[in-house]
Amino acid sequence: MSDTLRIENIELPDGGAELRLGGRLTLAAGAAAWDQLRNRCASTASEVRRIDLSALELVDGAGAAELLSLRARRSMAGRPLELVGASEETGQLLDLYGCPNDHTCLKEAPPSPTALEEVGKATVGLLENARDVLDEVGALVSATARAIRRPRSVNWREIPQLMERAGADGVPIIALINFLVGLIIALQAADQLKRYGANVFLADLVGLTMTRELAALMTAIIVAGRSGAAYAAELGTMRVNEEIDALRSLGLDAQRFLVMPRVIALAAVAPLLTLLGMVLGCLGGLVVAMTSLELTPAIYWGELQRAINLLDITEGLTKSVLFAITIVFISCQRGLGTRGGAAGVGRSTTSAVVAILFSLIVLDAIASTLFNSVRNG
Amino acid sequence: MSRAGWGDAAQLAALQELQAEGLTLDARGSDDLIRAVAVTTVFGERTVLDGIDLAIRRGEVFVLMGPSGCGKTTMLRHLCGLRAPTFGTVSIGGRDIHALPAAELHALRLRTGMAFQGGALLGSLTVEENVALPLRENAGRQLPREVIRQVARAKLDMVGLLPAAERMPADLSGGMCKRAAIARAIALDPEIVFLDEPTAGLDPITAAGIDNLIVKLNAVFGITMVVVTHDLPSAYAIADRMAVFFDGQVAAFGTKDQVLEAGDPRIRDFVDRRMRDAERPEIDVARHMIL
């Protein structure tokens, strides 16, 4: 049987009108029934004063809510409406869905904030966030100082496993990405260099960009995506599950117990990965050198050796350590600051990755400038 | 309970040495071990706790009771030193715990244990490793590995979880998680144990088992127990004294009988409503839903 509502108009002797409902007033009949009811109320010549429910076969929660909100609307408009003839069950249902008064019945949910409000809130949040960040920097510095003073206070146990997850497991993707980046740079440059007969300088170009800049940056980006996101989600979940509080109640400090091992693991692993990235990047360049610039591996290698000095490699490795510490620091800070359930963990992870990528680029710019002035000065 | 054994004298001595390092929880001539004065907590614009005064005696089972959202868990977090109140002080053994220097706060934490509502076991460690964690990290230099293991297993035996020692927290049922959390909370033989809703969400039989455990730990080891619960039967089974919270205030305070005799209408309501709920056939409401 289909869920339909029948409405019958009855003129009352005193000039008003009554609507006699029949059929079913249910969720399935929902929207159509609602329109039907309202239109009837509006279109009936004489004013609708009563709704008779006695012939209704079935009313469910949605139907009861429709009747109640119709009554509330009418009474707010100064035209009271009576619901009569309800069976005992329908009556109880109406009681169950009833509101203390018409006003609360029709109260709208608070409007979602406008764009301007969001911007304002975000700005205030940023300022509060800045204080938290300073707190965290302080905590991390003091934890580091303590770790140096008393190396036994560090939770060394977890470090090998962390190094394996951040380092060994990431080798294939990091190798591939750096190889491709080296290849792409070489491809883009090959044509230009050929035009000037400067084929051999491809080694300089690829070698220097990879060692000074791109190996560290690309590796850090991958590490941020793999380990940074993982740390933020892991610590965030621990925060949400009260595990961080549990650690505190056991006399264990989250900075010392969770953050320090991650700093050490990543700071140890990142330069190794970066070194690998440098080699693979140069190999990518070699592929292009051999295929489109007719260079031999020996010439390419010789030119690389001539072009790259220890300072270039130092620059790349220094950056990689700096990046690693930044990644751990931001991801752990966001993770430990997680509020509010699964959605909070998602927010922390997203904001950790975004903040890390932004910080990496800014740090890279600063570090490159410093190294340039060292090189020239 | 003594079946698990406490090892030989040397092991005991090592443990005692560890204990001696902690802060002596000296109540200085008073029976009150924990004292809260005018504790007030404000979250944003909402006053969660409004001028709470409490005194908890050494060696008693003290229950913080009340409906959900009345501020009792927040109060527990103040009492155990996890969170400082907006105003007011909490002192343990006569010292304001929210003003302690870091080293002394750390020492205090080793003398107290906390069992969280959801267990809060570290997901990356087995149950036994979770219980061993405070021993390993705080006493790693004094205690040899097998002693730590033995203590952890003894604690697990006390809560009846020895068979599950090697399992991961994710594989445990709710009741087992709570018992493991209690085992971890008592790992360092604390003088005070704080428990947050130890029986919430458990079936009556498991809940009674945990009540029994709390009473036993209190009786055998003289541990002062501070328990948050909204579970009325549980509160009545374990409490020496209790404080009933309503809307951020203590509505009644004292022994079970004193609390009932206090005659606060809200407490009557809290107690009676539950009984009505239990008697009321749920079918009434259910029939409307399907009609």
Side-chain angles (χ1 to χ4, degrees), chain B residues 8-20 139 142-144 147:
Chain B
D8 57 37
Q11 291 168 359
L12 260 179
L15 259 179
Q16 278 160 359
E17 202 180 315
L18 166 70
Q19 286 170 7
Q142 289 109 322
L143 287 179
V147 178

Side-chain angles (χ1 to χ4, degrees), chain A residues 16-88:
Chain A
E18 179 185 287
L19 299 183
R20 184 164 293 170
L21 305 188
R24 297 154 76 94
L25 183 55
T26 58
L27 184 61
W34 175 241
D35 289 341
Q36 233 177 319
L37 268 173
R38 286 191 59 194
N39 290 341
R40 236 3 140 74
C41 281
S43 66
T44 306
S46 38
E47 184 169 314
V48 177
R49 298 231 176 102
R50 292 212 307 242
I51 295 184
D52 185 355
L53 308 173
S54 55
L56 270 177
E57 291 162 29
L58 182 62
V59 182
D60 69 358
E66 283 185 358
L67 289 171
L68 287 166
S69 59
L70 186 69
R71 185 174 70 181
R73 269 167 189 263
R74 301 280 295 185
S75 102
M76 291 286 280
R79 289 182 296 182
L81 182 70
E82 217 181 332
L83 301 176
V84 296
S87 67
E88 192 191 341

Side-chain angles (χ1 to χ4, degrees), chain A residues 83-315:
Chain A
L83 301 176
V84 296
S87 67
E88 192 191 341
E89 282 170 355
T90 309
Q92 283 176 353
L93 192 62
L94 287 173
D95 283 347
L96 201 63
Y97 281 76
C99 324
N101 60 52
D102 299 333
H103 205 72
T104 53
C105 196
L106 294 177
K107 194 173 165 195
E108 303 242 343
S112 44
T114 63
L116 203 62
E117 278 175 309
E118 292 276 12
V119 170
K121 267 187 200 152
T123 313
V124 174
L126 208 65
L127 292 178
E128 279 169 6
N129 204 356
R131 222 191 62 189
D132 288 350
V133 168
L134 280 182
D135 280 355
E136 293 284 330
V137 171
L140 187 71
V141 168
S142 79
T144 313
R146 200 178 135 176
I148 293 169
R149 231 177 27 243
R150 285 179 47 204
R152 300 184 69 155
S153 75
V154 176
N155 175 25
W156 294 100
R157 210 176 308 253
E158 216 187 342
I159 292 179
Q161 200 200 351
L162 285 168
M163 285 173 72
E164 190 189 328
R165 269 194 296 171
D169 295 355
V171 163
I173 179 76
I174 284 168
L176 180 66
I177 293 277
N178 279 292
F179 178 79
L180 290 177
V181 166
L183 189 105
I184 292 165
I185 296 172
L187 268 180
Q188 297 289 355
D191 263 1
Q192 311 293 326
L193 291 172
K194 210 191 265 177
R195 208 169 293 172
Y196 296 103
N199 295 13
V200 77
F201 288 112
L202 185 77
D204 298 54
L205 180 80
V206 173
L208 288 179
T209 11
M210 287 312 294
T211 49
R212 284 186 192 172
E213 194 66 46
L214 284 180
L217 192 60
M218 295 317 292
T219 305
I221 287 173
I222 301 293
V223 169
R226 294 182 77 253
S227 306
Y231 295 164
E234 194 179 346
L235 269 58
T237 309
M238 291 180 76
R239 163 105 255 168
V240 170
N241 289 342
E242 292 188 310
E243 288 175 38
I244 304 290
D245 286 332
L247 283 176
R248 275 175 68 202
S249 78
L250 295 173
L252 298 175
D253 176 37
Q255 295 290 344
R256 167 172 94 73
F257 192 75
L258 296 170
V259 182
M260 275 319 285
R262 284 167 173 74
V263 170
I264 294 170
L266 224 54
V269 156
L272 298 176
L273 290 174
T274 301
L275 213 52
L276 179 77
M278 291 174 184
V279 174
L280 267 294
C282 292
L283 283 179
L286 175 63
V287 170
V288 176
M290 288 169 67
T291 52
S292 46
L293 295 179
E294 292 114 28
L295 294 176
T296 66
I299 295 176
Y300 187 83
W301 175 240
E303 183 62 22
L304 266 184
Q305 274 183 312
R306 208 189 55 72
I308 301 171
N309 59 36
L310 201 60
L311 185 63
D312 299 320
I313 294 176
T314 313
E315 176 173 353

Side-chain angles (χ1 to χ4, degrees), chain B residues 189-207:
Chain B
D189 288 321
E191 289 170 42
I192 308 169
V193 172
F194 300 93
L195 299 114
D196 189 4
E197 299 279 11
T199 58
L202 300 182
D203 66 87
I205 295 170
T206 313

Side-chain angles (χ1 to χ4, degrees), chain A residues 59 92 245 248 250-251, chain B residues 77 82 106 109 138 288 291:
Chain A
V59 182
Q92 283 176 353
D245 286 332
R248 275 175 68 202
L250 295 173
Chain B
R77 295 172 74 85
L82 273 178
H106 182 254
R109 287 202 197 289
N138 292 311
H288 284 305
L291 216 75

